[in-house]
């Protein structure tokens, strides 16, 4: 990366002139869009220090240099970067602090969590920020510690439902049942009654089409709040809760009714078979209902005993379509599918050789019939499993444009194109740096030339010239070796290239990765050492981070030493 441009950008975004700040941020955006661009650690640390700068008052939403700088450096999750982020955290803008927290959570490092606990709690108590709740709830002990310091913010409209979401993660995980009941229960019942009244104004006219085409975000927010509060009643259960649950199982919104049914079944409150069947057959609730029953160890109550895959496939396509968003402003597009039908299915394999099934479906949208695909259902767990490797999509190809067989042929052609793209995608690349021996040689060479010029040029210069020629030859050889030595995570392979020799292991075949001060050892599923990588070839923390990212979808994830 051009360091002069980076330093120019840093100067521009500190300017008192909003136009210059805009130009600087535009340049920063260009840097962020550059793929596989390397940047020196020292520059990243300078960016963090710049983000802690006392910037002029913002003139518009875009005018938040602190956030955009931190967003940039968070793409380089090196230990030095993380340490520097923690050090300067208190001086960032609130939005930049939250972006840094997102990176800290990805580390899953207890020491880092301890370092930021007080900082995050202070931020919540002093500012109104949008917390990364989806990430936070994965760490219920950490969340409980944050809640202990901020629970009074549950009374504020801004934080109320973020707090409920975090409380749910604490209770559901078993970290603490009825967490702070004396504080939470009264406000929970009050908030449920308020939200219930908001919902009831929609109930009589409820239809799925209204939800996703006319009501959209406002109603979906009410639905989410209703579902969350009903789930919390499982942990803060009273006779008043029982009355609310008995009413909610009959609500017309199947997603709200489904949450009420699950809690009712857990609390051994009778629910009629008719209600169970309605939820299992409804496209909005079918998939959630199955998995919530399974998660509550009540899978036996799922009323569809055979051939549940087709209804879940239709449910998946329905959900995919109604939640399609505009790429620019992320608003729902209002794509509402009708008359979803299963036309055929294909049994094939995913990129890891695991057997999967995809369903070919048709649906009508705005008067036109299209085809879509739902899957792939993992057949390793049986012929009627509900477990899915996500692959549901539609290209809005019209149903009548091709025959069923041609649609299937197009499916396979697209899979091959995607497979080729994934095979060539580089997720990580690193090469060895110049050896310490070469740097030592350069130091001697520099010292020799300095002495030559200080003592005056004489016949000794020929020795210096010869010494320099040797240095140039050694440098060319060193760079030639470096160019032929690489560590790559490309597609689904971990590749170590040294000269003309290349060793490869597919990432799904890795059992564990361990290291010492000099080498990284990669073992296959037979626990055999398959690859050895010199430690000086990579930044291990970055390498391990990327490898974890690329293997997180696997059922049998490898052990990667941290």
């Amino acid at each position: 990366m051009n360091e002069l441009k980076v330093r120019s950008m840093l100067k521009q975004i500190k300017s008192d002139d909003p136009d210059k700040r805009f130009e600087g941020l535009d340049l920063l955006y260009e840097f962020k869009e550059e793929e596989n661009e390397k940047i020196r650690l020292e520059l990243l640390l300078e960016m963090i220090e710049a983000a802690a700068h006392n910037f002029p008052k913002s003139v518009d939403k875009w005018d938040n240099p602190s956030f955009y700088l931190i967003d940039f450096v968070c793409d380089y999750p090196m230990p030095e970067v993380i340490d520097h982020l923690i050090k300067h955290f208190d001086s960032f803008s609130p939005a930049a602090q939250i972006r840094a927290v997102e990176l800290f959570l990805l580390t899953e490092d207890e020491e880092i969590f301890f370092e930021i606990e007080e900082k995050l709690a202070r931020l919540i108590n002093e500012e109104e920020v949008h917390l990364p709740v989806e990430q936070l709830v994965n760490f219920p002990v950490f969340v409980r510690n944050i809640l202990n310091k901020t629970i009074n913010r549950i009374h504020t409209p801004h934080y109320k439902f973020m707090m409920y979401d975090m409380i749910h993660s604490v209770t559901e995980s078993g970290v603490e049942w009825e967490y702070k009941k004396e504080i939470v229960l009264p406000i929970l019942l009050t908030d449920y009654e308020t939200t219930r009244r908001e919902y009831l104004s929609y109930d009589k006219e409820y239809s799925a089409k209204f939800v996703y085409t006319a009501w959209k975000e406002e109603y979906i927010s009410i639905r989410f709040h209703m579902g969350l509060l009903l789930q919390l009643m499982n942990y803060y259960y009273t006779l008043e809760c029982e009355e609310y649950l008995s009413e909610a199982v009959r609500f017309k919104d199947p997603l709200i009714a489904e949450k009420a049914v699950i809690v009712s079944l857990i609390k051994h409150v009778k629910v009629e078979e008719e209600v169970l069947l309605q939820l299992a057959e409804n496209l909005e609730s079918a998939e959630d209902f199955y998995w919530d029953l399974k998660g509550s160890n009540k899978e036996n109550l799922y009323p569809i005993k055979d051939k549940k895959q087709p209804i879940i496939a239709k449910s998946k396509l329905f959900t995919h379509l109604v939640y399609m968003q505009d790429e620019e402003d992320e608003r729902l597009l209002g794509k509402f599918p009708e008359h979803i039908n299963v036309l055929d299915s294909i049994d094939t394999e995913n990129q890891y050789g695991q057997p999967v099934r995809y369903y070919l479906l048709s649906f009508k949208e705005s008067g036109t019939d299209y085809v879509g695909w739902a899957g792939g259902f993992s057949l390793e767990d049986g012929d009627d499993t509900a477990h899915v490797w996500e692959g549901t999509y539609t290209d809005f190809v019209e149903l009548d444009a091709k025959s069923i067989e041609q649609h299937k042929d197009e499916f396979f052609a697209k899979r091959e194109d995607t497979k080729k793209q994934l095979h060539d995608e580089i997720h990580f690349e690193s090469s060895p740096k110049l050896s310490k021996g070469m740097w030592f040689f350069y130091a001697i060479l520099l010292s020799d030339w300095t002495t030559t010029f200080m003592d005056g040029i004489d016949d000794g210069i020929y020795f210096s010239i010869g010494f320099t020629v040797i240095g140039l030859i050694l440098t060319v050889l060193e760079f030639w070796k470096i160019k032929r030595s690489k560590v790559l995570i490309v597609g689904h392979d971990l590749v170590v290239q040294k000269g003309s020799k290349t060793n490869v292991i597919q990432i799904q075949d890795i059992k564990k990765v361990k290291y010492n001060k000099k080498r990284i050892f990669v073992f296959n599923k037979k626990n055999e050492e398959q690859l050895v990588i010199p430690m000086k070839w990579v930044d291990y923390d970055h390498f391990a981070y990327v490898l974890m990212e690329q293997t997180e979808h696997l059922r049998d994830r490898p052990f990667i030493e941290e």
Side-chain angles (χ1 to χ4, degrees):
M1 181 174 288
N2 188 315
E3 293 194 17
L4 289 176
K5 281 189 176 182
V6 173
R7 297 191 188 284
S8 173
M9 175 272 296
L10 291 174
K11 185 177 180 181
Q12 284 177 295
I13 65 172
K14 292 179 182 179
S15 172
D16 290 334
D17 184 345
D19 290 335
K20 287 186 178 179
R21 292 202 300 276
F22 184 86
E23 290 174 8
L25 290 175
D26 189 51
L27 191 57
L28 179 61
Y29 176 78
E30 288 181 20
F31 294 157
K32 190 172 176 65
E33 292 297 297
E34 293 176 4
E35 294 185 7
N36 301 318
E37 189 68 31
K38 292 184 178 180
I39 181 169
R40 286 195 308 113
L41 174 62
E42 289 74 17
L43 278 178
L44 292 171
L45 301 185
E46 283 186 39
M47 286 186 179
I48 293 170
E49 291 166 11
H53 180 73
N54 187 19
F55 292 97
K57 186 177 179 180
S58 174
V59 298
D60 205 342
K61 288 182 180 179
W62 60 263
D63 192 11
N64 191 345
S66 183
F67 168 77
Y68 290 107
L69 284 167
I70 297 306
D71 182 52
F72 181 92
V73 301
C74 282
D75 288 342
Y76 301 86
M78 294 177 275
E80 297 88 347
V81 167
I82 291 171
D83 289 344
H84 223 55
L85 286 170
I86 293 172
K87 178 181 177 181
H88 294 278
F89 184 88
D90 294 336
S91 300
F92 301 151
S93 72
Q97 289 178 320
I98 290 300
R99 181 64 185 94
V101 167
E102 291 173 351
L103 174 60
F104 299 151
L105 293 174
L106 286 175
T107 68
E108 301 185 13
D109 188 309
E110 290 185 7
E111 289 186 17
I112 291 175
F113 286 9
F114 179 77
E115 289 280 344
I116 67 167
E117 183 182 301
E118 191 65 42
K119 295 177 182 293
L120 180 56
R122 185 166 58 251
L123 176 64
I124 294 169
N125 283 323
E126 294 176 356
E127 302 282 350
E128 288 190 350
V129 293
H130 292 282
L131 300 172
V133 175
E134 288 187 5
Q135 285 179 260
L136 281 167
V137 295
N138 294 317
F139 309 101
V141 174
F142 177 65
V143 165
R144 182 200 49 194
N145 295 343
I146 296 295
L147 285 170
N148 286 342
K149 296 177 172 69
T150 61
I151 190 62
N152 286 335
R153 299 291 266 170
I154 197 172
H155 297 284
T156 65
H158 178 81
Y159 279 112
K160 185 181 295 293
F161 282 96
M162 285 187 268
M163 291 282 182
Y164 280 133
D165 218 344
M166 293 192 291
I167 290 168
H168 183 249
S169 77
V170 171
T171 53
E172 187 180 43
S173 67
V175 168
E176 190 169 340
W177 190 275
E178 295 184 338
Y179 172 79
K180 291 192 180 293
K181 184 177 181 179
E182 71 284 357
I183 296 174
V184 176
L185 180 57
I187 192 170
L188 168 66
L189 295 174
T190 300
D191 287 335
Y192 181 79
E193 181 58 37
T194 301
T195 312
R196 169 183 169 273
R197 286 197 297 269
E198 291 177 355
Y199 166 73
L200 287 174
S201 66
Y202 291 91
D203 187 74
K204 288 182 181 179
E205 296 182 355
Y206 181 87
S207 81
K209 189 167 187 176
F210 285 168
V211 172
Y212 302 104
T213 60
W215 298 346
K216 293 189 179 179
E217 282 89 346
E218 182 179 351
Y219 175 80
I220 289 172
S221 177
I222 294 171
R223 164 194 272 176
F224 172 74
H225 293 164
M226 283 286 286
L228 180 57
L229 295 171
L230 286 165
Q231 288 178 88
L232 280 167
M233 289 181 189
N234 181 35
Y235 307 100
Y236 301 92
Y237 192 70
T238 65
L239 289 177
E240 195 171 355
C241 291
E242 185 172 329
E243 292 175 11
Y244 282 136
L245 289 165
S246 297
E247 176 190 42
V249 298
R250 290 290 183 179
F251 284 159
K252 289 185 179 179
D253 186 322
L255 291 184
I256 296 176
E258 188 267 335
K259 298 305 179 192
V261 165
I262 294 296
V263 177
S264 297
L265 293 174
I266 292 172
K267 296 301 181 184
H268 305 290
V269 176
K270 183 175 174 56
V271 179
E272 295 178 8
E273 284 290 328
E274 172 196 5
V275 174
L276 301 180
L277 187 59
Q278 286 174 353
L279 294 176
E281 292 179 340
N282 189 289
L283 293 186
E284 284 193 271
S285 58
E287 186 177 19
D288 281 355
F289 188 41
Y290 173 81
W291 287 112
D292 284 346
L293 283 172
K294 189 175 178 67
S296 304
N297 294 318
K298 297 188 179 296
E299 186 182 358
N300 61 303
L301 296 178
Y302 193 69
I304 299 175
K305 303 303 180 185
D306 297 305
K307 300 192 184 224
K308 60 181 174 286
Q309 258 185 23
I311 184 67
I312 291 177
K314 291 196 286 184
S315 181
K316 287 193 75 65
L317 182 62
F318 177 88
T319 302
H320 173 79
L321 289 163
V322 296
Y323 284 108
M324 290 185 78
Q325 293 179 328
D326 184 285
E327 290 184 3
E328 292 186 3
D329 60 17
E330 297 187 351
R331 289 181 298 178
L332 295 183
L333 290 174
K335 299 288 185 183
F336 186 77
E338 299 178 279
H339 309 300
I340 299 180
N341 296 301
V342 174
L343 302 176
D344 207 342
S345 65
I346 289 174
D347 289 0
T348 182
E349 291 183 345
N350 64 15
Q351 61 265 39
Y352 305 106
Q354 297 162 310
V356 291
R357 175 176 295 147
Y358 283 85
Y359 284 88
L360 171 62
L361 305 106
S362 65
F363 64 94
K364 186 181 291 292
E365 202 276 322
S366 298
T368 303
D369 290 312
Y370 299 101
V371 297
W373 292 90
F377 290 85
S378 171
L379 301 181
E380 290 181 319
D381 296 333
D383 193 59
D384 197 30
T385 178
H387 184 84
V388 174
W389 298 103
E390 188 54 60
T392 300
Y393 71 94
T394 180
D395 291 327
F396 289 98
V397 176
E398 293 188 19
L399 173 62
D400 295 336
K402 299 175 182 179
S403 67
I404 296 297
E405 289 305 314
Q406 287 173 326
H407 284 302
K408 289 161 72 173
D409 289 342
E410 188 175 75
F411 169 82
F412 281 114
K414 180 169 182 172
R415 278 174 68 81
E416 280 302 311
D417 288 343
T418 302
K419 187 176 179 181
K420 288 176 183 176
Q421 290 174 13
L422 290 173
H423 184 268
D424 296 333
E425 185 176 359
I426 297 174
H427 308 289
F428 176 87
E429 182 176 359
S430 183
S431 297
K433 299 178 177 64
L434 275 174
S435 66
K436 290 181 180 179
M438 282 304 304
W439 287 113
F440 181 68
F441 184 91
Y442 294 152
I444 295 174
L445 187 61
L446 180 62
S447 175
D448 180 69
W449 275 107
T450 301
T451 302
T452 298
F453 284 118
M454 288 180 66
D455 293 345
I457 297 174
D458 54 22
D459 290 345
I461 196 173
Y462 295 111
F463 174 79
S464 298
I465 292 171
F467 201 44
T468 302
V469 171
I470 293 171
L472 288 171
I473 293 170
L474 290 174
T475 299
V476 170
L477 286 171
E478 187 89 0
F479 277 109
W480 180 72
K481 287 180 181 178
I482 288 172
K483 192 174 181 181
R484 300 175 75 227
S485 301
K486 286 183 181 179
V487 177
L488 299 157
I489 299 176
V490 53
H492 303 296
D493 296 333
L494 171 58
V495 181
V496 178
Q497 181 182 319
K498 187 174 182 180
S500 60
K501 188 177 180 182
T502 301
N503 293 317
V504 181
I505 184 172
Q506 291 194 320
I507 58 175
Q508 68 265 26
D509 293 333
I510 298 173
K511 180 174 183 177
K512 63 183 177 183
V513 177
K514 298 181 72 68
Y515 71 94
N516 58 31
K517 290 183 178 180
K518 292 186 176 181
R519 295 179 182 84
I520 302 166
F521 305 94
V522 181
F523 297 83
N524 62 24
K525 294 295 185 186
K526 295 178 181 178
N527 210 30
E528 298 168 338
E529 184 184 287
Q530 183 141 347
L531 296 179
V532 179
I533 304 168
M535 183 62 84
K536 63 182 180 181
W537 285 23
V538 300
D539 175 329
Y540 180 78
D541 291 287
H542 188 203
F543 168 76
Y545 174 84
V546 174
L547 192 58
M548 285 178 188
E549 270 195 332
Q550 296 305 311
T551 56
E552 65 181 357
H553 62 282
L554 298 174
R555 286 192 184 183
D556 185 16
R557 294 181 65 183
F559 167 78
I560 300 172
E561 187 174 4
E562 295 184 34

